[in-house]
Amino acid sequence: AQTVTQSQPEMSVQEAETVTLSCTYDTSESDYYLFWYKQPPSRQMILVIRQEAYKQQNATENRFSVNFQKAAKSFSLKISDSQLGDAAMYFCAYRSAMGGSEKLVFGKGMKLTVNP
Amino acid sequence: NAGVTQTPKFQVLKTGQSMTLQCAQDMNHEYMSWYRQDPGMGLRLIHYSVGAGITDQGEVPNGYNVSRSTTEDFPLRLLSAAPSQTSVYFCASSTIGRPQHFGDGTRLSIL
């Protein structure tokens, strides 16, 4: 079974600075997807970024980018120019690309605080 | 376009009561699923469905029932509520191979 580990339960960053959230995962599969979700206090689950394992190029979405290291099974999220609205819980998630499986496996999450 | 709609948003139950959490999506998505979120545990999959008439168990299915009679609806039933089922419940849907859309969640407290 696949597992996702977020080892840092909390982090803080100063507004306008850069922060990196770490995530590691364990799988025996070669084809899969990785995601970062943001959950603000409103409780919504918001997709931040998505990475396909077969793509070597790291995904980027505006101020958000990932460092995907397939061999190391590492998938970190970098937030540049942090804003107060980035304060939230962040979840790393894994999904197999095999057999039409849509099941998401989540890490335990990390609380990000942004200080003004 | 409403997306994924969950009702109710909050509910308090007594131990032993039954209830149904409703989930509806208007995007014609084949895949629907239910997760529960507990403090420090992330989201865990309860049940899922890949289409009308097809359901399967996830990681934590005990105490819950589901059915999928239409593409749009995927209700989650608690047959006999227990305090251990106090949690926040999320419904999600997607087209196969695409990112999942989540509802706003239902906060359920069982006394």
Side-chain angles (χ1 to χ4, degrees):
Chain A
Q2 295 81 22
T3 59
V4 176
T5 301
Q6 295 177 252
S7 57
Q8 302 157 299
E10 293 190 43
M11 293 185 74
S12 63
V13 63
Q14 291 296 125
E15 194 175 6
E17 294 189 346
T18 295
V19 63
T20 298
L21 286 58
S22 63
C23 173
T24 59
Y25 58 95
D26 189 30
T27 183
S28 59
E29 299 174 337
S30 59
D31 199 12
Y32 48 86
Y33 301 92
L34 295 165
F35 305 85
W36 279 99
Y37 281 89
K38 170 185 177 182
Q39 186 180 44
S42 66
R43 204 170 66 195
Q44 288 180 296
M45 291 292 290
I46 302 166
L47 178 64
V48 175
I49 202 164
R50 173 193 192 211
Q51 174 78 44
E52 291 93 339
Y54 65 86
K55 289 187 177 179
Q56 292 186 345
Q57 186 173 6
N58 289 325
T60 62
E61 288 287 342
N62 301 313
R63 298 183 296 107
F64 299 88
S65 62
V66 299
N67 183 5
F68 173 49
Q69 301 290 328
K70 191 173 185 179
K73 297 180 182 175
S74 171
F75 182 60
S76 61
L77 174 69
K78 185 172 80 171
I79 305 174
S80 303
D81 185 26
S82 297
Q83 300 176 359
L84 295 177
D86 294 333
M89 287 290 295
Y90 285 82
F91 293 93
C92 180
Y94 171 102
R95 195 186 86 200
S96 172
M98 297 174 60
S101 175
E102 305 296 312
K103 294 182 281 186
L104 287 169
V105 178
F106 285 88
K108 293 184 177 182
M110 192 224 68
K111 181 179 180 181
L112 179 66
T113 301
V114 181
N115 299 312
Chain B
N1 192 345
V4 179
T5 302
Q6 289 185 237
T7 55
K9 295 193 183 306
F10 302 94
Q11 184 71 48
V12 179
L13 290 179
K14 294 181 179 179
T15 298
Q17 286 184 315
S18 63
M19 82 158 295
T20 299
L21 306 186
Q22 301 292 344
C23 176
Q25 53 92 6
D26 60 359
M27 297 171 282
N28 202 32
H29 287 167
E30 306 97 327
Y31 183 82
M32 297 185 74
S33 55
W34 278 101
Y35 294 86
R36 61 177 288 174
Q37 182 180 20
D38 301 300
M41 295 293 292
L43 279 74
R44 293 180 292 168
L45 182 64
I46 304 171
H47 285 286
Y48 65 97
S49 168
V50 298
I54 306 169
T55 64
D56 206 347
Q57 296 180 352
E59 180 186 355
V60 288
N62 292 340
Y64 307 95
N65 264 4
V66 293
S67 60
R68 183 106 179 262
S69 56
T70 67
T71 300
E72 295 78 18
D73 300 299
F74 191 45
L76 179 72
R77 298 181 184 86
L78 282 70
L79 305 176
S80 177
S84 61
Q85 294 177 305
T86 293
S87 189
V88 178
Y89 291 84
F90 286 95
C91 179
S93 75
S94 68
T95 295
I96 301 297
R98 300 299 300 162
Q100 294 182 26
H101 298 251
F102 283 83
D104 290 341
T106 295
R107 182 176 294 277
L108 181 63
S109 295
I110 299 165
L111 307 177

